[in-house]
């Protein structure tokens, strides 16, 4: 999991994305209770303004949708059906941005407000610009679940673009990391461009010329007010992430040099007992958080570097590679060798 993403069990997201998708599922004849099975949520929860959901609940729902939906292309169609008004103040910030470039800046800066399931960055290659996606929650780029959330994001990204810049906007190409699924032809047709499967990266590409366009509803004065509101909401969102996220950020500050629990408590001007209690209230312990950080760093090292097991063990604070291998099996259920990219 990326360190800038909320922990999977943090209930801090508004349920608008899940609500929109379940309405589509129900329209296809799927029972709402079955679609929500395992999430701990009921349809009536969506009517309560205080309802917040976690990324894990959203991912459980996506797994249910994969199993229950009669349409293999459900995720992409659901994304394309999204409307910018479903995204509240975030969507309004995009609509009133005075330029397309500024809309891109706002889209990336305040994206945490949208309950993201995939990583996202904006890149430019000469005359081509692209939204680049990444597997932020470590779902596995070739798994059906990641394919589902990525196609959902692809459709949503294109829908928001068209709401801001016009319905005639078409992408140049789409690249995804997984092999062509049975509904590959539907993907190309729905996106209106070629789709490259088994790609080394995931991108939604456009002609860079649209960066010079002005959104039809752009308004600099309104945008300034809306941006201030988004900034306040983002601050509140970060505060809501709680003690667990603060501890993860502290442990990741200097990877491989993990400060002691007591030292962190002293730095934060609280007793270690208070820190343990605050973590327990969020369903975690110091050891659980440390294990999560070590596990994610180990996955990053195994996938993205050529470090051997001895070097990774040392970087994670293990005295022996055998201890690291044993811990990695406990964390992931597999040996380190299986996590390495071919």
């Amino acid at each position: 999991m990326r360190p800038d993403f909320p922990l999977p069990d943090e209930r801090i997201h508004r349920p608008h994305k899940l609500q929109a998708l379940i309405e589509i599922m129900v329209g296809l004849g799927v029972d709402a209770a079955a679609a929500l099975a395992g999430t701990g949520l009921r349809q009536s929860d969506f009517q309560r303004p205080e309802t917040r959901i976690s990324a894990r609940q959203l991912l459980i729902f996506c797994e249910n949708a994969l199993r229950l939906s009669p349409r293999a292309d459900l995720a992409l169609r659901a994304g394309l059906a999204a409307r910018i008004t479903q995204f509240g103040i975030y969507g309004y910030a995009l609509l009133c941005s005075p330029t397309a470039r500024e809309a891109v800046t706002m889209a990336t800066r305040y994206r945490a407000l949208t309950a993201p399931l995939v990583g996202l960055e904006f890149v430019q290659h000469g005359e081509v610009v692209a939204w680049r996606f990444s597997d932020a929650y470590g779902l596995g780029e070739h798994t059906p679940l990641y394919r589902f959330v990525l196609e959902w994001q692809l459709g949503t990204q294109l829908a928001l673009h068209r709401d801001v810049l016009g319905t005639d906007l078409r992408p140049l190409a789409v690249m995804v990391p997984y092999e062509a699924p049975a509904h590959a032809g539907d993907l190309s047709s729905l996106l209106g461009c070629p789709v490259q499967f088994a790609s080394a990266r995931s991108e939604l590409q456009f002609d860079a010329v649209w960066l010079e366009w002005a959104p039809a509803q752009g308004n600099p004065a309104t945008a300034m007010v809306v941006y201030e509101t988004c900034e306040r909401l983002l601050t509140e969102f970060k505060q809501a992430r709680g003690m667990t996220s603060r501890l993860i950020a502290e442990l990741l500050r200097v990877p491989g040099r993990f400060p002691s629990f007591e030292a962190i408590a002293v730095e934060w001007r609280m007793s270690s007992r208070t820190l343990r209690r605050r973590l327990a209230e969020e369903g975690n312990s110091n050891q659980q958080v440390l294990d999560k950080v070590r596990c994610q760093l180990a996955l990053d090292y195994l996938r993205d570097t050529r470090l051997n097991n001895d070097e990774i063990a040392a970087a994670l604070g293990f005295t022996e590679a055998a201890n690291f291998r044993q811990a990695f099996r406990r964390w992931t259920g597999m040996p380190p060798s299986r996590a390495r990219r071919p």
Side-chain angles (χ1 to χ4, degrees):
M1 188 191 77
R2 281 176 30 168
D4 58 328
F5 261 56
L7 289 172
D9 292 312
E10 290 182 296
R11 295 195 181 193
I12 51 178
H13 303 295
R14 297 182 184 275
H16 62 276
K17 290 175 74 171
L18 194 155
Q19 184 176 8
L21 186 52
I22 198 168
E23 288 173 357
I24 294 174
M25 293 281 289
V26 170
L28 292 172
V30 177
D31 178 67
L36 289 168
T39 66
L41 296 166
R42 297 173 296 180
Q43 261 192 302
S44 58
D45 292 328
F46 302 142
Q47 310 307 318
R48 299 163 52 209
E50 70 273 18
T51 295
R52 297 294 184 272
I53 65 172
S54 68
R56 191 179 305 281
Q57 288 173 305
L58 194 48
L59 289 169
I60 290 172
F61 179 83
C62 290
E63 290 179 324
N64 292 341
L66 268 169
R67 186 180 71 258
L68 299 172
S69 174
R71 300 199 63 107
D73 58 1
L74 168 70
L76 181 57
R77 287 183 178 274
L80 290 170
R83 296 279 69 87
I84 204 163
T85 52
Q86 296 170 351
F87 290 82
I89 196 68
Y90 173 84
Y92 193 35
L94 301 185
L95 274 178
C96 65
S97 295
T99 67
R101 288 183 183 275
E102 195 160 341
V104 168
T105 300
M106 296 304 102
T108 52
R109 177 168 179 76
Y110 301 118
R111 186 167 177 259
L113 303 176
T114 69
L117 293 178
V118 297
L120 180 70
E121 62 177 321
F122 188 76
V123 297
Q124 183 165 2
H125 316 290
E127 297 181 354
V128 175
V129 294
W131 292 104
R132 180 172 294 170
F133 308 98
S134 59
D135 183 12
Y137 280 109
L139 306 177
E141 290 185 338
H142 301 284
T143 63
L145 181 57
Y146 182 67
R147 188 196 73 213
F148 186 94
V149 298
L150 179 57
E151 290 179 8
W152 192 8
Q153 184 64 48
L154 282 168
T156 301
Q157 207 73 17
L158 184 54
L160 297 186
H161 263 271
R162 289 172 172 169
D163 278 352
V164 174
L165 298 174
T167 56
D168 58 341
L169 181 66
R170 288 183 174 272
L172 295 175
V174 167
M175 295 184 288
V176 294
Y178 47 83
E179 298 290 338
H183 61 288
D186 295 330
L187 296 182
S188 180
S189 175
L190 289 169
L191 291 166
C193 68
V195 179
Q196 178 182 329
F197 296 97
S199 171
R201 59 181 186 270
S202 302
E203 288 188 352
L204 175 62
Q205 298 182 342
F206 295 92
D207 190 320
V209 67
W210 67 259
L211 282 174
E212 309 307 322
W213 295 3
Q217 300 183 53
N219 186 304
T222 304
M224 185 175 299
V225 175
V226 175
Y227 295 167
E228 290 177 357
T229 303
C230 284
E231 199 66 36
R232 176 179 57 79
L233 291 174
L234 185 62
T235 298
E236 293 175 358
F237 174 86
K238 290 178 178 178
Q239 291 173 344
R241 292 188 56 187
M243 196 59 65
T244 299
S245 293
R246 284 186 64 191
L247 181 57
I248 287 177
E250 186 68 28
L251 293 171
L252 285 171
R253 190 163 52 148
V254 185
R257 293 174 54 191
F258 304 116
S260 71
F261 189 65
E262 289 70 21
I264 292 174
V266 169
E267 184 176 343
W268 291 354
R269 299 181 180 180
M270 65 177 68
S271 68
S272 57
R273 180 178 180 180
T274 297
L275 181 51
R276 286 191 178 89
R277 176 176 57 78
R278 295 280 297 277
L279 290 171
E281 289 172 353
E282 297 175 9
N284 283 299
S285 69
N286 176 50
Q287 189 59 51
Q288 287 174 322
V289 175
L290 179 58
D291 284 347
K292 288 177 182 178
V293 170
R294 280 174 152 178
C295 179
Q296 185 56 54
L297 288 173
L299 288 168
D300 290 342
Y301 291 144
L302 290 165
R303 292 169 177 169
D304 302 327
T305 76
R306 295 186 178 182
L307 295 176
N308 60 39
N309 285 350
D310 289 308
E311 293 167 325
I312 295 175
L316 296 179
F318 288 96
T319 56
E320 296 181 4
N323 294 337
F324 160 61
R325 289 193 295 269
Q326 183 179 17
F328 191 82
R329 278 186 177 275
R330 186 176 71 253
W331 298 332
T332 66
M334 63 181 178
S337 58
R338 284 186 54 190
R340 290 192 182 275
R341 297 187 191 275

